[in-house]
């Protein structure tokens, strides 16, 4: 019974406090009660903390979108995180594209130009996928996790203490209002008591009322001192927490540097992978990309492609230089000559002859044929071949 009585009394006291705060808050909004203003420094700290929270949330969410554009995947990772379980490993988009390219190249044949190029591109895409996975892991650990810890940890503590400060302020202002009313009532009672009203009963009643109001006034003063002390103490606690925002900014700055470094490493790896791939593809004549054009112009390895890196341009231009200087003899020769094939070549149509690198064929010119082409012959097979793919043998 004693415990039950205590709980009922506590519940009644809490209800009274809540009602008092609600009345004070409503009167403040209606302009019928005074409000204790926080000092300017504390207001600035509160504003700084709120601003930090808002922008940290926005940066964190957009970084998650950047690292994982698939919203379904983000939801799945969130669910696994809340369940405190590790999310299953999934293949990312570059890795999936790379695997498709490798499978297609294997299907077309690694010995063909297109199949070989697809396999090389697929391997590069898979390396980019691995780098992308490393970027996500590093960024999540060194950048997203500290931001999330601030939102879910430090700022929740600040918000809790800030709400408690607001309640202490309402209690303080309510106590000020009650003291003000008690003083006003005692003043009016004193004025009535000094009016020299006749009758002993009337005087006794006024004296009793005056004493009662005086006790109430003293009680209100004591309550005000207590609420003022609690408010000051809570304001100091809140101030100390808010001053830690500067340390939070310094910590987030270090995390931001880690994120930038991770991105720099990722993009440098991607650049190097693509540069290597360009050099590998540069060893194949550009006709591999235009076999379906059905034109009579022989493709020439291009050195003017606007791709990153002057070294890549040098490597492609060196392919043309690597062609023998006696190509003019091939165009002007009247008889048949033997020539070595420099690169694989897939015939674009039935009038052309497919070639394999390092094979030796017989070539001869035909009157009226484009100067970039020769007639090639391999056993019973005959067809046009691009002159830039050949090296004349002595």
């Amino acid at each position: 019974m004693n415990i039950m009585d205590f709980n009922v009394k506590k519940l009644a006291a809490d209800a009274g406090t809540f009602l008092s705060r609600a009345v004070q808050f409503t009167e403040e909004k209606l302009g019928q009660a005074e409000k204790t203003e926080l000092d300017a420094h504390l207001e600035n700290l509160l504003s700084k903390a709120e601003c930090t929270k808002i922008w940290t949330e926005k940066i964190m969410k957009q970084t998650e979108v950047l690292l994982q554009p698939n919203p379904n995947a983000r939801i799945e990772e969130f669910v696994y995180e809340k369940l405190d379980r590790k999310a299953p490993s999934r293949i990312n988009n570059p890795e999936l594209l790379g695997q498709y390219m490798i499978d297609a190249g294997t299907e077309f044949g690694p010995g063909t130009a297109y199949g070989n190029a697809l396999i090389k591109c697929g391997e590069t895409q898979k390396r980019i996928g691995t780098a992308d996975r490393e970027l996500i892991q590093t960024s999540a650990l060194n950048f997203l996790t500290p931001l999330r810890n601030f939102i879910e940890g430090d700022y929740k503590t600040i918000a809790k203490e800030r709400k408690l400060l607001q309640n202490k302020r309402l209690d303080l202002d309510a106590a000020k209002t009650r003291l003000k009313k008690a003083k006003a009532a005692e003043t009016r009672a004193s004025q009535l008591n000094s009016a020299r009203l006749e009758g002993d009963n009337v005087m006794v009643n006024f004296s009793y009322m005056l004493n009662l109001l005086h006790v109430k006034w003293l009680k209100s003063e004591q309550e005000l001192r207590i609420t003022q002390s609690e408010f000051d103490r809570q304001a100091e606690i809140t101030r100390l927490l808010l001053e830690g925002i500067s340390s939070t900014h310094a910590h987030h700055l270090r995390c931001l540097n880690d994120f930038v470094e991770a991105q720099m490493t990722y993009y440098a790896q991607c650049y190097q992978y693509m540069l290597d791939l360009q050099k590998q593809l540069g060893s194949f004549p550009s006709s591999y990309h235009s076999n379906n054009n059905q034109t009579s112009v022989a493709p020439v390895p291009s050195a003017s492609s606007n791709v990153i890196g002057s070294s890549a341009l040098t490597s492609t231009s060196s392919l043309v230089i690597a062609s023998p200087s006696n190509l003019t003899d091939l165009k002007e020769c009247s008889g048949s000559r033997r020539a070595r094939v420099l690169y694989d070549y897939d015939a674009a149509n039935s009038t052309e002859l497919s070639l394999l690198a390092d094979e030796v064929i017989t070539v001869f010119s035909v009157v009226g044929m484009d100067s970039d082409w020769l007639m090639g012959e391999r056993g019973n097979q005959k067809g046009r071949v691009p002159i830039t793919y050949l090296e004349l043998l002595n």
Side-chain angles (χ1 to χ4, degrees), residues 213-228:
L213 291 174
H214 183 68
V215 171
K216 186 176 181 180
W217 173 62
L218 292 176
K219 183 178 179 181
S220 298
E221 272 195 335
Q222 183 181 8
E223 182 184 8
L224 177 61
R225 285 194 295 271
I226 294 174
T227 55
Q228 182 70 58

Side-chain angles (χ1 to χ4, degrees), residues 1-15:
M1 291 295 295
N2 292 335
I3 296 177
M4 185 176 296
D5 290 341
F6 174 77
N7 290 338
V8 171
K9 290 180 180 179
K10 185 175 184 303
L11 182 63
D14 292 342

Side-chain angles (χ1 to χ4, degrees), residues 48-62 64 78 81-82 143-160 245 248-249 251-252:
K48 183 178 181 180
E50 182 67 19
C51 182
T52 301
K53 179 251 185 183
I54 292 174
W55 285 110
T56 300
E57 283 183 333
K58 290 183 177 180
I59 292 172
M60 183 177 68
K61 290 179 180 179
Q62 194 57 39
E64 290 173 346
F78 175 79
E81 180 182 350
K82 292 303 179 183
F143 187 60
L144 287 178
T145 299
L147 297 186
R148 188 176 292 108
N149 289 341
F150 168 73
I151 296 297
E152 298 179 357
D154 295 348
Y155 188 79
K156 279 190 175 180
T157 302
I158 291 175
K160 178 182 177 181
I245 292 294
T248 299
H249 284 188
H251 178 53
H252 288 181

Side-chain angles (χ1 to χ4, degrees), residues 271-284 301-321:
Y271 170 78
Q272 188 60 49
Y273 293 153
M274 297 310 295
L275 193 62
D276 294 342
L277 176 62
Q278 186 201 31
K279 291 179 180 179
Q280 294 176 20
L281 294 182
S283 64
F284 302 110
S302 172
S304 59
S305 176
N306 291 328
V307 193
I308 44 179
S310 60
S311 60
L313 297 178
T314 305
S315 65
T316 47
S317 62
S318 65
L319 296 171
V320 180
I321 298 172

Side-chain angles (χ1 to χ4, degrees), residues 91-107:
I91 188 170
N92 55 31
N93 291 331
E95 290 174 332
L96 185 60
L97 174 60
Q99 189 59 52
Y100 285 165
M101 287 183 169
I102 291 174
D103 293 343
T106 304
E107 184 73 18

Side-chain angles (χ1 to χ4, degrees), residues 155-223:
Y155 188 79
K156 279 190 175 180
T157 302
I158 291 175
K160 178 182 177 181
E161 296 298 332
R162 182 178 183 177
K163 183 178 180 181
L164 190 56
L165 177 63
Q166 172 74 355
N167 291 336
K168 295 299 182 183
R169 185 196 63 75
L170 290 173
D171 293 342
L172 174 62
D173 289 338
K176 288 181 178 179
T177 300
R178 285 193 292 271
L179 178 60
K180 185 177 180 181
K181 290 180 179 179
K183 284 184 177 180
E186 185 181 20
T187 301
R188 287 196 298 271
S190 299
Q191 292 173 351
L192 290 175
N193 190 41
S194 62
R196 297 183 179 182
L197 296 176
E198 296 180 356
D200 293 339
N201 292 334
V202 175
M203 293 299 298
V204 170
N205 289 336
F206 267 105
S207 297
Y208 176 76
M209 182 184 299
L210 185 61
N211 291 333
L212 184 63
L213 291 174
H214 183 68
V215 171
K216 186 176 181 180
W217 173 62
L218 292 176
K219 183 178 179 181
S220 298
E221 272 195 335
Q222 183 181 8
E223 182 184 8

